[in-house]
Amino acid sequence: QVQLVESGGGLVQPGGSLRLSCAAPEFTLNHYSIAWFRQAPGKEREGVSCISSSDGSPHYADFVKGRFTISRDIAKSTVYLQMNSLKPEDPAVYYCATVFLDSCPGTTIATALIGSWGQGTQVTVSS
């Protein structure tokens, strides 16, 4: 198991921004791709974004393209999710997870390919 720690969630007004962080043990980003998921109350978990361990290439769900940016700092062993232009439909608990592939298969990722999960961070969008 890899321990992942998310942070950066909070309350923001519609149109605002937040940056989520996913801190991992050293060398994790060299061996695992990292994905962000979210789950809102009463809804299924959905993939938001993924960054490949092989080359850092990003992948986004259609509903966040152009608004969210995933990035990584290998030296800090941290993956970031910059969320801009937040909408009322974005509130959820956001989780990061390790993916047992060196290249993300998009953002729809089979459960069997997911290793460790973080504890989640709450994002609330409200005026």
Side-chain angles (χ1 to χ4, degrees), residues 61-82:
D62 287 344
F63 53 81
V64 302
K65 280 182 180 177
R67 300 191 297 126
F68 290 11
T69 302
I70 192 170
S71 62
R72 65 180 183 176
D73 185 329
I74 292 179
K76 295 183 178 180
S77 199
T78 300
V79 172
Y80 303 99
L81 186 67
Q82 178 68 43

Side-chain angles (χ1 to χ4, degrees), residues 1-86:
Q1 287 284 352
V2 175
Q3 186 175 8
L4 303 175
V5 180
E6 299 101 332
S7 61
L11 172 64
V12 65
Q13 292 184 343
S17 297
L18 285 173
R19 188 177 79 158
L20 305 184
S21 298
C22 173
E26 192 176 16
F27 304 125
T28 299
L29 305 189
N30 300 98
H31 299 294
Y32 300 98
S33 297
I34 302 294
W36 284 98
F37 297 85
R38 71 185 187 185
Q39 188 165 22
K43 294 187 177 182
E44 291 190 356
R45 184 184 66 208
E46 55 186 358
V48 175
S49 185
C50 185
I51 189 163
S52 297
S53 63
S54 58
D55 60 2
S57 59
H59 302 261
Y60 300 100
D62 287 344
F63 53 81
V64 302
K65 280 182 180 177
R67 300 191 297 126
F68 290 11
T69 302
I70 192 170
S71 62
R72 65 180 183 176
D73 185 329
I74 292 179
K76 295 183 178 180
S77 199
T78 300
V79 172
Y80 303 99
L81 186 67
Q82 178 68 43
M83 307 188 297
N84 297 330
S85 302
L86 283 161

